[in-house]
Amino acid sequence: MNKKILIPIVVVGILLVAGIAFLAIRLDKQKQQNREMQELAELDKKEMENEYQQFANQYSEMKTQITNDSIVAQLTAEQEKTQKLLEELRQVKSSDAREIARLKKELATVRAVLRSYVLEIDSLNRLNQNLKDENERVRGQYDAATRQIAGLNNERATLSEKVAIAAQLDATGIRMTLKNKRNKDTKKINKCKTVQVSFTVAKNVTAQSGMKTFYVRITSPTGAVLGNSGTFEYENRSLQASMKKSVEYGGQETTVVTYWNVNSALMEGTYNVSIFADGNMIGSKNFSFD
């Protein structure tokens, strides 16, 4: 064969082999990233299942400690609703983002309702303590009042655990905004120079006040984590954070805004924003850009 013809054929062959090897490496990395995303989704779903089950169990415990038939009926209705949502969650695949998001929103509602019952029972407990003091001055009613307060004191012993669950924070109104080089909002991913993520921490009077560190984790359409603001612990593993911010939280509705300066080109597609605090995922939302 003529050397002038053979040399280009050899070069083309080498380029094809190199291209195939590059694609194989890239495909293997993509599969690894997809597996990690699936593992995180499974962990999130499992945590939701545990919370739903825990809330349902707490309703059962609370019903055994309340003698008010009206409140017991309300607790039974909420328990049945919680159990129904748990069964729906168990039937949903962790990859069904839309259904998982719906059930996560329902979980926040269940948590808020449970929190209101915890506070109501605690209020009844304090009220009955006052009744005990008064009944001590009314000798004829002392025995009846003592029996009532004894039962409520047993209830108080379990309230602290319920309050700890009810004190978990919720991130609402999550927004991911792209900024161009003039710091103006843009919907074009290729013009983005800064990513802004904002959210509102819902009011929660049962949560502990003080400085709170909120971690924002953004994953790209390929599953890669944007930015690098250190790591945080979640479900017994260390996760990389895109941004983080510490703010003073006093139990009232609080707005948090974070920024990340883009240092490489971003691709179009769907991005996931997840918010973490106190070792819990307190909010998550997907955003699509072209």
Side-chain angles (χ1 to χ4, degrees), residues 19-36:
I20 292 171
F22 174 79
L23 288 175
I25 293 172
R26 184 170 181 179
L27 181 59
D28 184 68
K29 183 177 181 182
Q30 180 67 49
K31 288 181 178 178
Q32 177 64 27
Q33 292 173 340
N34 289 341
R35 282 195 296 270
E36 291 177 355

Side-chain angles (χ1 to χ4, degrees), residues 16-245:
L16 285 174
V17 171
I20 292 171
F22 174 79
L23 288 175
I25 293 172
R26 184 170 181 179
L27 181 59
D28 184 68
K29 183 177 181 182
Q30 180 67 49
K31 288 181 178 178
Q32 177 64 27
Q33 292 173 340
N34 289 341
R35 282 195 296 270
E36 291 177 355
M37 289 184 66
Q38 183 63 30
E39 288 176 2
L40 185 58
E42 290 289 348
L43 284 172
D44 188 28
K45 180 173 180 291
K46 185 63 177 177
E47 182 183 11
M48 288 172 60
E49 291 180 8
N50 290 339
E51 286 195 67
Y52 269 121
Q53 187 62 64
Q54 201 168 19
F55 291 163
N57 293 342
Q58 286 178 15
Y59 278 121
S60 293
E61 294 175 13
M62 293 166 72
K63 286 192 298 181
T64 65
Q65 301 159 356
I66 298 295
T67 57
N68 186 301
D69 291 339
S70 176
I71 295 179
V72 170
Q74 295 174 38
L75 292 174
T76 299
E78 292 299 332
Q79 181 185 16
E80 291 174 352
K81 178 181 176 181
T82 302
Q83 197 68 44
K84 181 174 179 291
L85 290 170
L86 173 59
E87 294 302 323
E88 290 179 13
L89 177 60
R90 285 172 173 168
Q91 299 300 320
V92 172
K93 293 183 178 179
S94 60
S95 58
D96 190 345
R98 177 176 296 180
E99 192 66 6
I100 290 294
R102 180 184 72 82
L103 291 169
K104 187 182 289 290
K105 185 176 181 180
E106 290 286 352
L107 180 62
T109 301
V110 171
R111 183 184 299 113
V113 171
L114 176 62
R115 183 182 300 140
S116 69
Y117 279 113
V118 169
L119 294 175
E120 181 178 355
I121 293 172
D122 187 54
S123 177
L124 288 172
N125 192 31
R126 290 195 300 270
L127 175 62
N128 281 281
Q129 182 63 49
N130 293 333
L131 288 175
K132 177 183 177 181
D133 296 338
E134 181 179 347
N135 285 335
E136 286 177 349
R137 294 189 297 268
V138 183
R139 304 288 297 181
Q141 300 178 359
Y142 178 78
D143 291 339
T146 299
R147 287 193 298 269
Q148 182 182 15
I149 297 304
L152 290 173
N153 282 340
N154 291 332
E155 179 184 320
R156 180 190 291 273
T158 63
L159 281 177
S160 58
E161 182 179 352
K162 297 182 178 69
V163 170
I165 296 174
Q168 181 175 320
L169 302 178
D170 289 319
T172 63
I174 300 172
R175 294 185 61 191
M176 178 178 174
T177 306
L178 308 182
K179 302 282 188 179
N180 61 23
K181 62 182 180 182
R182 296 184 179 87
N183 203 33
K184 301 292 184 181
D185 292 356
T186 179
K187 294 185 178 181
K188 298 296 183 181
I189 195 72
N190 59 351
K191 294 184 179 181
C192 177
K193 297 301 180 182
T194 304
V195 173
Q196 173 185 300
V197 173
S198 61
F199 56 92
T200 298
V201 183
K203 179 180 178 180
N204 188 340
V205 295
T206 63
Q208 184 177 0
S209 300
M211 293 299 296
K212 300 279 186 182
T213 300
F214 297 92
Y215 298 91
V216 178
R217 179 180 168 92
I218 305 175
T219 53
S220 71
T222 65
V225 179
L226 304 185
N228 188 359
S229 288
T231 60
F232 60 93
E233 295 300 314
Y234 176 68
E235 292 288 336
N236 298 320
R237 61 187 294 189
S238 292
L239 298 181
Q240 180 181 331
S242 302
M243 304 102 92
K244 67 178 180 179
K245 189 169 185 178

